[in-house]
């Protein structure tokens, strides 16, 4: 082998010499030059991708943000009665009133007679977010609960009279503002925000998470609810889910209380599905959920932007599912009409006080609570919230469920 041979980039072997035939004034095209040339185009390409992504991101943000409807009339009505409203007691704790509208107008007409767009609150839940954001308590209010409804203003501006009537009349008489004021007068709890969700929005949210599992003890065949299902574990799509949470005649004893229990269980399963299925961490799965949710909502001005909703959800994303609790306000058949409800006192006021003061409550399934109640001769620890000589009282327990519960194992 010749001694002049060597690696191509060895100076001794002429690796840095210009190409053969070049003159002394020629500019060499070096490896470093190639790299700089390639890096410039890579940087330009990356910048273009970033700009496109940012543009798409901005477009998606505006689209989601624009989906949300703002309810300014409720804020204006509440401002008129500000001096009558209860004050917030605990800083950073929040109370949000969730209202499921049963309007039959527009796309919802197939679920019943369209009576010109009038509506009542089919479902109402007071959502209490603890100040430390370590727990969430959702308290259902029966639509047939007999309550004092204050003077309100209808859509035409005319004042209604103060009356003792079914709770869901408040929404029909004076809309969301009247419902909020009725809840505040009954509970003494300041409502910080509200959200109204319609039928189609609920269906779309269930479909966006690819369905939610429930467990049926018996087959269901309910033409009114558009629902026909076999017994056992079932994965419900949006249409089926809507029938499931609204059905009264075909599931259980037909009571509104049992229907509320079923709604709570379903919402718990929905929360569990979103948290456990990686939805919140996967943009391609999260976007359809956000799109469906934002289209479904009408909110107060304090929650009417994607940024506001994101801040709310971000504060709750680390709440364990077993600390997302669902219960119904203590109620019993109304003495004057068994088809209506009335509050059980003093249990209801004690629950309201604990939520107002951001004190903890606990829930267990109704069967378990009944066994404990019988074991303690009818006295469970929800009956008192005063300390005894040995120290503070235990956390009061109510009938309910949490989002971690597997309803097929109960």
């Amino acid at each position: 082998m010749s001694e002049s041979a060597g690696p191509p980039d060895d100076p001794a072997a002429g690796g840095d010499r210009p190409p053969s035939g070049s003159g002394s004034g020629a500019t060499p095209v070096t490896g470093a030059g190639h790299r700089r040339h390639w890096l410039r185009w890579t940087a330009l390409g990356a910048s273009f991708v970033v700009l496109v992504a940012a543009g798409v991101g901005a477009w998606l943000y505006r689209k989601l943000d624009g989906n949300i409807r703002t309810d300014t009339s409720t804020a204006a009505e509440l401002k008129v009665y500000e001096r009558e409203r209860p004050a917030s007691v605990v800083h950073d704790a929040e109370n949000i009133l969730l209202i499921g509208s049963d309007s039959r107008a527009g796309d919802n007409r197939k679920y019943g007679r369209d009576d010109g767009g009038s509506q009542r609150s089919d479902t109402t839940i007071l959502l209490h977010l603890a100040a430390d954001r370590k727990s969430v308590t959702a308290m259902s209010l029966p639509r047939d609960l007999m309550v004092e409804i204050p003077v309100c203003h209808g859509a035409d501006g005319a004042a209604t009279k103060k009356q003792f009537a079914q709770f869901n009349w408040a929404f029909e008489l004076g809309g969301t503002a009247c419902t909020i004021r009725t809840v505040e007068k009954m509970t003494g709890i300041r409502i910080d925000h509200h959200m109204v969700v319609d039928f189609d929005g609920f269906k779309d949210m269930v479909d966006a998470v690819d369905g939610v599992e429930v467990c049926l003890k018996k087959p269901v065949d309910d033409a009114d609810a558009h629902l026909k299902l076999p017994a056992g574990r079932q994965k419900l799509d949006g249409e089926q889910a809507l029938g499931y949470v609204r059905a009264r005649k075909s599931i259980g004893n037909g009571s509104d209380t049992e229907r509320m229990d079923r709604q709570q269980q379903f919402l718990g399963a929905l929360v569990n599905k979103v948290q456990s299925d990686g939805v919140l961490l996967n943009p391609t799965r999260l976007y359809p959920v956000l799109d469906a949710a934002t289209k479904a909502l009408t909110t107060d001005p304090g929650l009417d932007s994607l940024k506001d909703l994101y801040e709310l959800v971000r504060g709750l994303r680390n709440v364990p599912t077993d600390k997302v609790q669902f219960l119904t306000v203590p109620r019993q058949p109304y003495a004057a009409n068994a088809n209506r409800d009335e509050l059980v006192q003093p249990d209801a006021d004690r629950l309201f006080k604990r939520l107002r003061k951001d004190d903890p409550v606990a829930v267990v399934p109704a069967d378990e609570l009944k066994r404990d109640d019988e074991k303690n001769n009818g006295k469970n620890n929800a009956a008192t919230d005063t300390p005894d000589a040995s120290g503070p009282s235990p956390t009061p327990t109510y009938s309910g469920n949490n989002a971690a519960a597997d309803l097929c194992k109960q």
Side-chain angles (χ1 to χ4, degrees), residues 263-273 321 324 326 402-405:
Q263 290 172 350
Q264 294 167 4
Q265 292 165 3
F266 185 87
L267 290 175
L270 178 58
V271 170
N272 200 359
K273 176 72 176 287
T321 51
V324 179
F326 299 87
N402 62 60

Side-chain angles (χ1 to χ4, degrees), residues 131-172:
D132 61 8
R133 295 301 190 267
K134 292 183 179 179
S135 66
V136 176
T137 301
M139 180 181 70
S140 292
L141 298 167
R143 64 182 183 180
D144 294 334
L145 185 67
M146 299 302 293
V147 299
E148 289 284 351
I149 300 176
V151 173
C152 298
H153 290 89
D156 60 358
T160 63
K161 63 180 181 179
K162 180 180 178 180
Q163 56 191 297
F164 186 68
Q166 290 173 236
F167 171 63
N168 68 340
W169 282 26
F171 195 65
E172 181 182 22

Side-chain angles (χ1 to χ4, degrees), residues 37-323:
H37 187 69
W38 179 82
L39 286 172
R40 280 196 298 271
W41 279 107
T42 300
L44 286 171
S47 299
F48 176 76
V49 170
V50 168
L51 287 172
V52 170
V56 171
W59 178 83
L60 292 177
Y61 183 93
R62 287 194 298 272
K63 182 179 184 299
L64 293 174
D65 200 56
N67 285 344
I68 307 168
R69 296 179 294 275
T70 306
D71 180 6
T72 56
S73 60
T74 293
E77 177 80 357
L78 292 176
K79 189 174 181 179
V80 172
Y81 295 96
E82 178 60 37
R83 297 179 69 175
E84 298 180 10
R85 302 182 65 196
S88 295
V89 176
V90 179
H91 183 64
D92 287 338
E94 285 192 281
N95 297 293
I96 302 173
L97 198 64
L98 307 178
I99 301 173
S101 167
D102 70 349
S103 169
R104 298 307 196 277
D107 292 337
N108 293 331
R109 64 172 56 93
K110 67 180 178 181
Y111 301 108
R113 179 175 57 87
D114 183 358
D115 50 6
S118 68
Q119 56 187 0
R120 294 184 184 176
S121 51
D122 188 64
T123 301
T124 305
I125 296 175
L126 177 58
L127 192 67
H128 175 75
L129 316 181
D132 61 8
R133 295 301 190 267
K134 292 183 179 179
S135 66
V136 176
T137 301
M139 180 181 70
S140 292
L141 298 167
R143 64 182 183 180
D144 294 334
L145 185 67
M146 299 302 293
V147 299
E148 289 284 351
I149 300 176
V151 173
C152 298
H153 290 89
D156 60 358
T160 63
K161 63 180 181 179
K162 180 180 178 180
Q163 56 191 297
F164 186 68
Q166 290 173 236
F167 171 63
N168 68 340
W169 282 26
F171 195 65
E172 181 182 22
L173 293 170
T176 302
C178 194
T179 301
I180 290 174
R181 291 180 57 228
T182 301
V183 172
E184 290 185 337
K185 285 183 176 293
M186 175 174 57
T187 66
I189 298 171
R190 173 83 175 204
I191 303 301
D192 301 298
H193 300 289
H194 70 269
M195 298 181 182
V196 180
V197 184
D198 67 15
F199 287 166
D200 271 2
F202 174 82
K203 290 193 307 178
D204 291 343
M205 282 188 283
V206 173
D207 286 333
V209 297
D210 193 28
V212 175
E213 284 193 345
V214 300
C215 201
L216 301 176
K217 294 180 180 179
K218 297 179 180 179
V220 177
D221 190 354
D222 189 327
D224 292 338
H226 305 279
L227 187 66
K228 186 173 183 178
L229 296 167
R233 188 181 292 271
Q234 307 291 327
K235 183 178 180 181
L236 307 186
D237 62 22
E239 187 75 32
Q240 294 169 325
L242 181 59
Y244 177 74
V245 299
R246 299 196 70 249
R248 292 184 66 170
K249 301 175 183 177
S250 58
I251 304 179
N253 60 17
S255 70
D256 195 42
T257 297
E258 184 168 279
R259 186 178 70 101
M260 285 187 297
D261 290 342
R262 196 182 329 121
Q263 290 172 350
Q264 294 167 4
Q265 292 165 3
F266 185 87
L267 290 175
L270 178 58
V271 170
N272 200 359
K273 176 72 176 287
V274 171
Q275 284 205 356
S276 65
D277 213 28
V279 173
L280 296 177
L281 301 177
N282 186 335
T284 60
R285 300 193 63 192
L286 179 59
Y287 176 77
V289 176
L290 291 176
D291 190 40
T294 51
K295 285 179 179 176
L297 293 178
T298 300
T299 77
D300 62 276
L303 282 181
D304 68 343
S305 73
L306 198 60
K307 179 179 180 295
D308 294 327
L309 291 176
Y310 172 76
E311 291 297 330
L312 177 67
V313 173
R314 187 176 67 169
L316 299 175
R317 63 185 176 186
N318 293 324
V319 177
T321 51
D322 65 340
K323 292 298 182 182

Side-chain angles (χ1 to χ4, degrees), residues 284-405:
T284 60
R285 300 193 63 192
L286 179 59
Y287 176 77
V289 176
L290 291 176
D291 190 40
T294 51
K295 285 179 179 176
L297 293 178
T298 300
T299 77
D300 62 276
L303 282 181
D304 68 343
S305 73
L306 198 60
K307 179 179 180 295
D308 294 327
L309 291 176
Y310 172 76
E311 291 297 330
L312 177 67
V313 173
R314 187 176 67 169
L316 299 175
R317 63 185 176 186
N318 293 324
V319 177
T321 51
D322 65 340
K323 292 298 182 182
V324 179
Q325 303 180 129
F326 299 87
L327 70 155
T328 299
V329 62
R331 44 71 55 201
Q332 64 189 9
Y334 178 43
N337 184 346
N339 293 319
R340 303 290 178 259
D341 292 324
E342 64 182 2
L343 295 176
V344 174
Q345 297 292 12
D347 292 355
D349 281 344
R350 289 185 177 126
L351 174 58
F352 300 154
K353 180 181 178 181
R354 295 196 73 87
L355 295 179
R356 188 165 59 244
K357 296 176 62 179
D358 199 31
D359 290 334
V361 298
V363 301
V364 296
D367 292 344
E368 183 179 334
L369 186 64
K370 183 178 180 180
R371 288 194 299 269
D372 290 345
D373 194 44
E374 292 172 347
K375 184 178 179 180
N376 294 320
N377 298 317
K379 295 181 180 179
N380 67 63
N381 63 354
T384 180
D385 60 356
T386 56
D388 56 29
S390 62
S393 63
T395 300
T397 303
Y398 298 87
S399 172
N401 286 282
N402 62 60

